[in-house]
Every structure is written in structure tokens, then in C-alpha cells.
Amino acid sequence: MWNHLPVDANFGGIAFAHTEADIYFDPTLRLENVELTQDTWAAKYIRTFEALGKSARLDITQAYQRAKWTGLVNGVPASTSRVGWSDTLVRVAMNVYGAPPLRGQEFARYRATAGRETIVGVGLVLRLPTGGYEEDKLLNLGENRFVFRPQLGVIHSRGNWTTELTGEVALHAENDDFFNGNSLEQEPLYFVHGHLIYSLGPGQWAGISLGYNHGGESRINGVDQDDVRQNVGWKLSYAHPVTPVSGLKVSYVGSRTEETTGFDAETLVVDLSFAW
């Protein structure tokens, strides 16, 4: 998220993810034993640039999803599915310490001599309400609301090892067209996640990640739902170069809820990235 990249460069990526999850809803919704199977196809574009004398980047991510939920509704077996676009994610980030804005050969020379390095960055992720949404359905691919996620992160590299730590908070706008004409509000949801990466060679690395979030209690029509989120997540990743300007990465992502509402999920992700 905070890696030093050359400015005035373009990066792209395509990915496929398969997710299987158990979802635990508020008992008042009378949804039980809900299981989710979801396939996601995603594309990402990154443009780097210089801003205020610092290296910066713009990320745009768009996914297309196919999801199926099965479970019990009022004790009766039921299932439903959705196919369509997810919400669009836009991220703007700037490295405020370290990672000088460099181009071409100047960037290559700097990276070749950088041994011990610390980078501090700030960012903002905006989730746009562009995904598929039906107000008479409880389960949707999109959220029908804006979500703002300010971020602060630090990355430190020494030799072949890189550590990264990021904190962020999700601030949710109100959804006035929540299920059956209700109004949904949500308290801030706080995240912290860290990554440990070992470089095996140019473009080749292995990493382990851990994450935790807490908060996000909902209010429907002003009534607290007592559904605080608390989830623990982890990821194992391996990346391998394909060509000098492209690489393949495989990741396993898991999560477990620590509350009565939330989800337990497992996801396998394969993505191809490239630069030009």
C-alpha cells in the first residue's frame, strides 16, 4: 500500500477470488445458518504522480461478482443469488516521509542502493455506491452509501525483510433506502493490519498478514442494533515474476468473527499485475 513506486507510471491488475463464508446475522432478522459462496472478478488501475514534492498515487478498483446465499428464513430453507457490479473503490495516497518522487533511471539507481528504509504515508479510500442494489432486498452486492476510509501507514525495509503497519477508520454515510424503506446508520469501524514480507529475488516474495477490526454498530431508524463488529483476519501470499514488467500473486485469506454477528470466511485469490 505504501511501496515506493516511480512517478508518472501506470500499473494495472486483474484478479479472480473465490470466497466461502458463514454469516451470522442479528437474530431479529430471523436469518440462520447462512452460507455465502461468491466469485469475484476484479480490475485495478494505478497512476503514480508527484504532489507537493512527494510521491503519490491514485488507485481505482472495480469488481464484478456472482454471489449465492443459502440458509434458513424463519426456520424455512431458502436461497438467493445476485450477479452484477460491486461498489467502485477509489484511493488517493501520498508518502509524506521517505520514497522521494523519482522517475526512470533515477528511480532504478535509488532502489538499487536503498538498504534500510522507512516510509510513512497517508491515504483516503472512497467507496462509491455504484454496485448492484435493490432496496427491497436485504442481501446486495452494493451498499447504496458512500464510505470514507482515512488511512495512516508506515513501512520499514531492512535487507530482504519488509514490515508494514496500517491503521484506518471506515466512516459510513447514511443509507436512506435500506431494506423495505428503512434508514441505516453505522458507527465508525476501526481497522489495523500488519504485513511481514521476505524478498526472494526481483519481483519474487512471500508474506504473511494479520488484521483486526472493531466497532461499526448499526442503527436502523435511530434504534441501536447492538451488533458491534469484531473480526480477526489473516493472509498468506506468494508472488512470482512472469516478465520484467508483470507478476503473478496467489493469496489465501481467512477471517473469523469474535462477536455473535459477523462472518467467518475463506478466500483464494489469484491476480496478475503489470506495469507500463
Side-chain angles (χ1 to χ4, degrees):
M1 294 177 66
W2 312 107
N3 290 333
H4 189 195
L5 300 174
V7 299
D8 297 331
N10 300 284
F11 301 87
I14 53 176
F16 171 76
H18 177 75
T19 301
E20 295 185 1
D22 295 321
I23 306 177
Y24 309 104
F25 288 93
D26 184 331
T28 61
L29 297 176
R30 299 187 180 182
L31 297 176
E32 300 176 284
N33 301 330
V34 178
E35 297 181 354
L36 166 68
T37 301
Q38 180 173 278
D39 291 326
T40 301
W41 298 264
K44 186 172 187 176
Y45 171 72
I46 300 172
R47 173 67 181 180
T48 61
F49 56 96
E50 181 177 346
L52 303 176
K54 307 293 183 180
S55 58
R57 57 190 282 177
L58 170 68
D59 302 26
I60 302 174
T61 304
Q62 181 61 62
Y64 187 84
Q65 297 179 313
R66 179 177 62 201
K68 182 177 181 179
W69 295 265
T70 59
L72 300 177
V73 180
N74 294 324
V76 179
S79 66
T80 189
S81 60
R82 306 280 185 269
V83 178
W85 299 105
S86 69
D87 289 341
T88 304
L89 298 178
V90 178
R91 177 176 183 259
V92 179
M94 175 187 296
N95 292 324
V96 296
Y97 177 82
L102 303 173
R103 298 168 177 81
Q105 292 301 316
E106 187 181 15
F107 173 83
R109 287 193 295 268
Y110 179 90
R111 296 310 314 159
T113 58
R116 183 181 301 181
E117 181 181 38
T118 299
I119 299 170
V120 179
V122 294
L124 175 65
V125 179
L126 175 60
R127 179 168 182 158
L128 305 175
T130 58
Y133 187 84
E134 300 177 62
E135 63 181 65
D136 61 336
K137 300 291 192 289
L138 179 62
L139 303 173
N140 284 286
L141 300 176
E143 292 192 11
N144 192 46
R145 57 180 174 175
F146 289 95
V147 182
F148 302 86
R149 283 168 39 203
Q151 302 174 316
L152 174 64
V154 59
I155 183 171
H156 179 76
S157 300
R158 179 181 296 183
N160 291 336
W161 291 96
T162 299
T163 56
E164 180 180 326
L165 182 66
T166 298
E168 56 185 288
V169 55
L171 306 172
H172 302 81
E174 185 177 353
N175 181 359
D176 291 325
D177 292 316
F178 185 59
F179 183 52
N180 284 339
N182 293 298
S183 175
L184 172 66
E185 299 174 273
Q186 191 169 354
E187 292 295 318
L189 181 61
Y190 299 92
F191 298 83
V192 61
H193 45 93
H195 314 273
L196 179 63
I197 298 170
Y198 183 77
S199 176
L200 301 166
Q204 184 182 17
W205 54 267
I208 182 170
S209 306
L210 295 173
Y212 174 79
N213 66 35
H214 187 273
E217 184 177 10
S218 302
R219 289 192 301 274
I220 298 179
N221 299 327
V223 179
D224 290 339
Q225 299 301 297
D226 192 24
D227 59 351
V228 170
R229 277 73 165 168
Q230 184 178 196
N231 297 286
V232 176
W234 57 91
K235 180 170 71 172
L236 301 174
S237 301
Y238 172 74
H240 193 87
V242 177
T243 72
V245 294
S246 65
L248 185 69
K249 183 175 71 174
V250 179
S251 303
Y252 164 78
V253 184
S255 67
R256 292 293 180 270
T257 182
E258 302 299 313
E259 298 288 346
T260 55
T261 59
F263 60 89
D264 298 340
E266 294 182 321
T267 301
L268 180 64
V269 185
V270 180
D271 65 78
L272 176 67
S273 59
F274 44 90
W276 68 94

